[in-house]
Amino acid sequence: MDLLEVKNVSHTYGSRRLFERTTQETPVLSDVSFSMQHGTCLGLLGSSGAGKSTLGKIILGLEKPKKGQILFEGQDLYSANAQTRKQIRRDLQVVFQDCYSSVNPRMTAEKIVAEPLENYEKLSPSELQRTVARLLDRVGLKTEDMKKFPRQFSGGQLQRLNIARAIALKPKLIVMDEPISSLDMVNQANILNLLDELKADYDLSYLFITHDIRAAYTVADELAVMEKGEVVEYCPDKKEIFNSTNPTVKKLISAILLEHPMFRTKKPLRTIT
Ligand SMILES: Nc1ncnc2c1ncn2[C@@H]1O[C@H](COP(=O)(O)OP(=O)(O)OP(=O)(O)O)[C@@H](O)[C@H]1O
């Protein structure tokens, strides 16, 4: 069974102009369909405004699509009963781009990571503390960091904290919406390596939303490219992206062409990570 199936999803946003009574519906997603298997990472690429984040929100259950279905392990997310939705919410976690606004600034790191565990698992205080310490260690933070507040972390450290919270319940799928875009190059590479390790250790799947084809190519197994609310290219094997004839895809590739080994010249070039 597919882990995730996005089935004929269409969505619009309504906007009303000044002095006008009627609302105009602007299409944002048009008949988007794809599926994901357990243990894979799908890189969802596209330029700004392509509809990637809207699709991410719909998959997370945060925005009901105007048409279509989201099936998580065969269960329809938007028509499931409360108990099934609660289970899906456990199995489906998220990491957003803005690591600062993703956390409550008044909570300690310990409380931030403990929160999902408190909601879903009955652990004693000492078990909870040990689990949080283990999770922090797994993402490269220290036990002493437990007592720190978000403002006391760097961007890279805070994104590690967000990742620790996202993996706390051992979810099946994590939607990552531009998780490295606000970080510097070194932190970007470190976080991508961490995500790769965690995927193997925890048997995770990622939907990795980004406009950065290098990041997507590094971390993903499969790639999909969106343009104006439609999926214009889908590559079950990411290498196939280099054979695409789609103009949007070609434009994305031309930015990194020289960095791919297939196109390397004798000139020393930077590596993808
Ligand atoms: N809440 C909203 N109300 C109205 N329009 C919206 C809303 N959210 C997004 N949009 C519009 O929907 C379109 C798709 O936006 P979306 O954020 O999904 O694109 P994106 O591919 O994630 O872009 P980016 O990479 O810049 O975040 C854009 O034209 C955007 O202006």
Short mmCIF file of all heavy atoms in Angstrom, two decimals, residues 13-14 28 46-55 57 63 177-178 209 211, ligand 1:
data_model
loop_
_atom_site.label_atom_id
_atom_site.label_comp_id
_atom_site.label_asym_id
_atom_site.label_seq_id
_atom_site.Cartn_x
_atom_site.Cartn_y
_atom_site.Cartn_z
N TYR A 13 -7.71 29.92 -4.12
CA TYR A 13 -7.80 30.88 -3.03
C TYR A 13 -8.72 32.01 -3.50
O TYR A 13 -8.59 32.46 -4.64
CB TYR A 13 -6.44 31.47 -2.66
CG TYR A 13 -5.59 30.55 -1.82
CD1 TYR A 13 -4.34 30.12 -2.27
CD2 TYR A 13 -6.02 30.13 -0.57
CE1 TYR A 13 -3.55 29.28 -1.50
CE2 TYR A 13 -5.24 29.28 0.21
CZ TYR A 13 -4.01 28.86 -0.26
OH TYR A 13 -3.24 28.04 0.50
N GLY A 14 -9.60 32.43 -2.63
CA GLY A 14 -10.51 33.51 -2.98
C GLY A 14 -9.90 34.86 -2.64
O GLY A 14 -9.24 35.01 -1.62
N VAL A 28 -4.79 27.57 -7.61
CA VAL A 28 -3.43 27.43 -7.07
C VAL A 28 -2.89 26.03 -7.33
O VAL A 28 -1.69 25.84 -7.58
CB VAL A 28 -3.44 27.70 -5.54
CG1 VAL A 28 -2.04 27.61 -4.97
CG2 VAL A 28 -4.02 29.06 -5.24
N GLY A 46 10.12 23.45 -7.49
CA GLY A 46 9.32 24.42 -8.25
C GLY A 46 9.71 25.82 -7.85
O GLY A 46 10.22 26.05 -6.75
N SER A 47 9.42 26.75 -8.74
CA SER A 47 9.79 28.13 -8.44
C SER A 47 8.77 28.74 -7.47
O SER A 47 7.75 28.13 -7.16
CB SER A 47 9.88 28.94 -9.73
OG SER A 47 8.69 28.75 -10.44
N SER A 48 9.04 29.95 -7.04
CA SER A 48 8.18 30.63 -6.08
C SER A 48 6.76 30.79 -6.65
O SER A 48 6.59 31.19 -7.80
CB SER A 48 8.79 32.00 -5.78
OG SER A 48 8.03 32.61 -4.79
N GLY A 49 5.76 30.44 -5.84
CA GLY A 49 4.37 30.58 -6.26
C GLY A 49 3.84 29.38 -7.04
O GLY A 49 2.69 29.38 -7.48
N ALA A 50 4.65 28.33 -7.19
CA ALA A 50 4.22 27.15 -7.96
C ALA A 50 3.12 26.37 -7.25
O ALA A 50 2.41 25.59 -7.88
CB ALA A 50 5.41 26.24 -8.24
N GLY A 51 3.00 26.56 -5.94
CA GLY A 51 1.95 25.87 -5.18
C GLY A 51 2.48 24.79 -4.24
O GLY A 51 1.70 24.03 -3.66
N LYS A 52 3.80 24.75 -4.06
CA LYS A 52 4.41 23.69 -3.25
C LYS A 52 3.94 23.72 -1.80
O LYS A 52 3.55 22.70 -1.23
CB LYS A 52 5.95 23.81 -3.29
CG LYS A 52 6.56 23.90 -4.67
CD LYS A 52 8.06 24.00 -4.62
CE LYS A 52 8.62 25.24 -3.95
NZ LYS A 52 8.30 26.52 -4.61
N SER A 53 4.00 24.91 -1.19
CA SER A 53 3.64 25.01 0.23
C SER A 53 2.16 24.76 0.45
O SER A 53 1.76 24.15 1.44
CB SER A 53 4.00 26.38 0.80
OG SER A 53 5.39 26.54 0.74
N THR A 54 1.34 25.21 -0.51
CA THR A 54 -0.11 24.95 -0.40
C THR A 54 -0.35 23.45 -0.41
O THR A 54 -1.10 22.92 0.41
CB THR A 54 -0.85 25.62 -1.58
OG1 THR A 54 -0.55 27.02 -1.55
CG2 THR A 54 -2.33 25.42 -1.49
N LEU A 55 0.33 22.76 -1.31
CA LEU A 55 0.19 21.31 -1.38
C LEU A 55 0.67 20.68 -0.07
O LEU A 55 0.03 19.76 0.46
CB LEU A 55 0.97 20.76 -2.57
CG LEU A 55 0.85 19.27 -2.83
CD1 LEU A 55 -0.60 18.85 -3.04
CD2 LEU A 55 1.68 18.84 -4.03
N LYS A 57 0.64 22.00 2.91
CA LYS A 57 -0.38 22.25 3.95
C LYS A 57 -1.57 21.30 3.78
O LYS A 57 -2.12 20.80 4.75
CB LYS A 57 -0.86 23.71 3.86
CG LYS A 57 0.08 24.67 4.56
CD LYS A 57 -0.55 26.03 4.66
CE LYS A 57 0.15 27.00 3.73
NZ LYS A 57 -0.48 28.28 3.54
N GLU A 63 -5.19 22.42 5.41
CA GLU A 63 -5.99 23.19 4.47
C GLU A 63 -6.76 22.22 3.58
O GLU A 63 -6.15 21.46 2.83
CB GLU A 63 -5.02 24.05 3.62
CG GLU A 63 -5.66 24.82 2.55
CD GLU A 63 -5.50 26.33 2.77
OE1 GLU A 63 -4.57 26.76 3.44
OE2 GLU A 63 -6.35 27.04 2.22
N ASP A 177 9.27 21.64 4.64
CA ASP A 177 9.01 22.76 3.73
C ASP A 177 10.17 23.74 3.80
O ASP A 177 10.31 24.49 4.76
CB ASP A 177 7.69 23.45 4.11
CG ASP A 177 7.22 24.41 3.02
OD1 ASP A 177 8.00 24.67 2.07
OD2 ASP A 177 6.09 24.91 3.11
N GLU A 178 11.04 23.68 2.80
CA GLU A 178 12.24 24.52 2.73
C GLU A 178 13.03 24.48 4.04
O GLU A 178 13.34 25.53 4.61
CB GLU A 178 11.86 25.97 2.40
CG GLU A 178 11.10 26.15 1.09
CD GLU A 178 12.00 26.26 -0.13
OE1 GLU A 178 13.22 26.05 -0.01
OE2 GLU A 178 11.45 26.54 -1.21
N ILE A 209 10.18 19.74 0.31
CA ILE A 209 9.73 20.83 -0.56
C ILE A 209 10.81 21.89 -0.66
O ILE A 209 11.31 22.38 0.37
CB ILE A 209 8.44 21.46 0.03
CG1 ILE A 209 7.32 20.42 0.08
CG2 ILE A 209 8.03 22.69 -0.76
CD1 ILE A 209 6.06 20.89 0.79
N HIS A 211 12.93 24.99 -3.54
CA HIS A 211 13.16 25.54 -4.88
C HIS A 211 14.60 25.25 -5.29
O HIS A 211 15.02 25.61 -6.37
CB HIS A 211 12.91 27.05 -4.88
CG HIS A 211 13.82 27.78 -3.95
ND1 HIS A 211 13.55 27.96 -2.62
CD2 HIS A 211 15.03 28.32 -4.16
CE1 HIS A 211 14.55 28.59 -2.05
NE2 HIS A 211 15.47 28.82 -2.96
N1 LIG B 1 -3.57 32.01 2.18
C1 LIG B 1 -3.50 32.41 0.90
N2 LIG B 1 -4.44 33.23 0.37
C2 LIG B 1 -4.40 33.60 -0.92
N3 LIG B 1 -3.44 33.22 -1.78
C3 LIG B 1 -2.47 32.41 -1.32
C4 LIG B 1 -2.44 31.97 0.05
N4 LIG B 1 -1.35 31.15 0.21
C5 LIG B 1 -0.73 31.11 -0.98
N5 LIG B 1 -1.39 31.84 -1.88
C6 LIG B 1 -1.04 32.01 -3.31
O1 LIG B 1 -1.01 30.71 -3.87
C7 LIG B 1 0.06 30.59 -4.80
C8 LIG B 1 0.96 29.41 -4.41
O2 LIG B 1 1.59 29.75 -3.17
P1 LIG B 1 2.54 28.70 -2.43
O3 LIG B 1 3.05 29.35 -1.18
O4 LIG B 1 1.84 27.41 -2.30
O5 LIG B 1 3.72 28.55 -3.50
P2 LIG B 1 5.20 27.98 -3.29
O6 LIG B 1 5.50 27.18 -4.49
O7 LIG B 1 5.32 27.28 -1.97
O8 LIG B 1 6.05 29.31 -3.31
P3 LIG B 1 7.32 29.71 -2.38
O9 LIG B 1 8.44 28.82 -2.78
O10 LIG B 1 7.55 31.14 -2.72
O11 LIG B 1 6.87 29.51 -0.95
C9 LIG B 1 0.79 31.93 -4.80
O12 LIG B 1 0.33 32.69 -5.89
C10 LIG B 1 0.36 32.58 -3.50
O13 LIG B 1 0.33 33.97 -3.60
#
